[in-house]
Amino acid sequence: HNAAAAGDVDIYLNTEPDGTSAAVTALSFPETVPAVPLTGEYVSLDEGDNRVAVTATGDTAALIDATLPLARGDIRTVVAAGLTTDVEALVFEDDNRAIATAAKLRVIHGAAEAQVVNVYLVPTAEGGADATLIGNAQPALADFTFGDSSGYLQVPAGDYVVFITTTDNAQLFKSGSVTLANGGVYTVVARFAPDDPENEAGLTLMDDFAQP
């Protein structure tokens, strides 16, 4: 759930949004399915076309009404993103195959509030995250547009600080030190951070970041 302005939502799977048969109810921004604690599990669906509808909690008007064509063995991440009047389902194919010699990192831009950003992945300085600056680093993702995915980047194992900036280098987000391990598969979804006094943007952590 990446649409902050939409409030709590209900999710319907292959049923009409009727206010009573939701598969997930009152999912809050920025939780995932299953919600807290994050476990990395997937919802199982039959192969073929599957309808996914999302409404404001208790409502029957669909904010999202999408059909997902799925083959057996398909694995997908679906991000509900956008503003209250324009919420959409962003669908991405997952690849959870580990690489022994590197970490795999996927970044998804799900923050409709900032349409184009730069993303930096800077090795953590000896003084920790507080001492880590962008400096002369080049963006890992330049001109990164809302709705896009980086795909799975192979990243050397180590500790990193993530920065998100506007294209004219105004800082929107700075993370703490994040550890990436060889063999790990990591996904981060960029989002709005209305409750964070220090950052305008934030990250939702998934896959191997998300431990119960």
Side-chain angles (χ1 to χ4, degrees), residues 120-200:
Y120 295 81
L121 191 65
V122 181
T124 303
E126 287 188 7
D130 288 345
T132 304
L133 304 173
I134 291 177
N136 295 322
Q138 295 299 307
L141 300 167
D143 297 330
F144 193 40
T145 303
F146 169 67
D148 284 352
S149 166
S150 67
Y152 288 90
L153 308 174
Q154 293 189 30
V155 180
D159 296 330
Y160 296 89
V161 176
V162 180
F163 294 85
I164 300 174
T165 73
T166 63
T167 53
D168 57 0
N169 297 319
Q171 184 172 301
L172 301 174
F173 172 76
K174 179 182 180 181
S175 75
S177 186
V178 175
T179 299
L180 303 180
N182 287 340
V185 180
Y186 306 94
T187 293
V188 295
V189 183
R191 56 173 171 79
F192 186 44
D195 297 325
D196 186 341
E198 297 182 2
N199 294 294
E200 293 184 46

Side-chain angles (χ1 to χ4, degrees), residues 29-126:
F29 169 86
E31 292 180 344
T32 66
V33 179
V36 180
L38 304 174
T39 65
E41 296 173 358
Y42 287 86
V43 174
S44 295
L45 297 171
D46 293 332
E47 61 182 319
D49 288 343
N50 286 269
R51 181 185 183 187
V52 179
V54 178
T55 71
T57 293
D59 199 351
T60 57
L63 299 171
I64 293 172
D65 198 341
T67 299
L68 304 182
L70 298 176
R72 186 169 298 180
D74 281 351
I75 306 175
R76 299 285 187 269
T77 290
V78 182
V79 180
L83 306 174
T84 0
T85 54
D86 187 20
V87 182
E88 59 184 301
L90 308 178
V91 183
F92 304 95
E93 184 174 355
D94 293 359
D95 177 7
N96 294 327
R97 180 179 59 86
I99 298 174
T101 56
K104 288 171 60 176
L105 174 66
R106 176 176 60 168
V107 183
I108 293 171
H109 185 346
E113 296 82 358
Q115 288 287 310
V116 184
V117 299
N118 293 334
V119 180
Y120 295 81
L121 191 65
V122 181
T124 303
E126 287 188 7

